[in-house]
Amino acid sequence: MIPQRISLITIGAKNLPALRSFYQRLVWEETEISSDQYAVFKTAGVLLSLFPIEELAKDAGIPVEEAAKSGFSGITLAINVDKKEDVDHAIELVREAGGTILREPSDAFWGGRTSYFTDPENNCWELAWNPDSVFDERGAMISF
């Protein structure tokens, strides 16, 4: 089973410091890991992250030069799972349901496990396990 939740929305930023500054001027609270290379803002229900668009495409397994042609919007939705092995199980469910796997499950440089897929309308999703994720009683991720 894949948890029925969206944990994180990532916007691929063309100018991350400028985009981060915009959200700061809205007086949105950032997490302690935020920087001009990767920023995360707390919202009601999900976390909003900003990541350079080229790095986001690369992380999703989309060659940067093909990102625009492939219909990649520069936005990914993430489902964070509870256990490392859940990433592998969930991606098999996605495969069986007809999703397109962009990046097979693999261990991430930041200590978790991740995989990317697109749904039938080419919306880009990440399945991830982060050992530092904290969820509230409803299953919403409140920090990592």
Side-chain angles (χ1 to χ4, degrees), residues 17 19-28 30 34 36 41:
L19 190 57
R20 179 182 183 209
S21 178
F22 169 79
Y23 288 103
Q24 289 171 329
R25 288 191 307 274
L26 295 179
V27 195
W28 284 22
E30 288 184 87
S34 289
D36 277 346
F41 291 87

Side-chain angles (χ1 to χ4, degrees), residues 53-110:
I53 193 165
E54 299 84 7
E55 294 298 318
L56 183 59
K58 181 175 143 186
D59 195 51
I62 302 168
V64 175
E65 60 279 357
E66 294 179 24
K69 292 185 286 186
S70 72
F72 178 60
S73 67
I75 295 175
T76 61
L77 306 166
I79 301 167
N80 280 64
V81 296
D82 298 318
K83 297 180 292 209
K84 183 177 185 175
E85 59 272 14
D86 290 348
V87 173
D88 298 71
H89 298 302
I91 208 66
E92 287 310 313
L93 287 173
V94 169
R95 193 183 319 275
E96 291 168 13
T100 301
I101 311 307
L102 299 175
R103 177 179 169 184
E104 293 290 340
S106 60
D107 292 336
F109 71 91
W110 43 266

Side-chain angles (χ1 to χ4, degrees), residues 16-17 19-21 23-25 27-43 47-48 50 142:
L16 200 145
L19 190 57
R20 179 182 183 209
S21 178
Y23 288 103
Q24 289 171 329
R25 288 191 307 274
V27 195
W28 284 22
E29 182 183 357
E30 288 184 87
T31 67
E32 61 281 349
I33 66 167
S34 289
S35 71
D36 277 346
Q37 286 74 49
Y38 181 69
V40 181
F41 291 87
K42 298 176 182 181
T43 71
L47 297 172
L48 173 68
L50 309 176
I142 56 176

Side-chain angles (χ1 to χ4, degrees), residues 3 14 17 27 33 35 38 43 45 48-49 58 60 66 94 98 114 117-119 121 128-129 132 139 143:
K14 294 176 181 126
V27 195
I33 66 167
S35 71
Y38 181 69
T43 71
L48 173 68
S49 70
K58 181 175 143 186
E66 294 179 24
V94 169
T114 188
F117 69 94
T118 56
D119 65 22
E121 293 199 1
W129 169 76
D132 299 321
S143 72

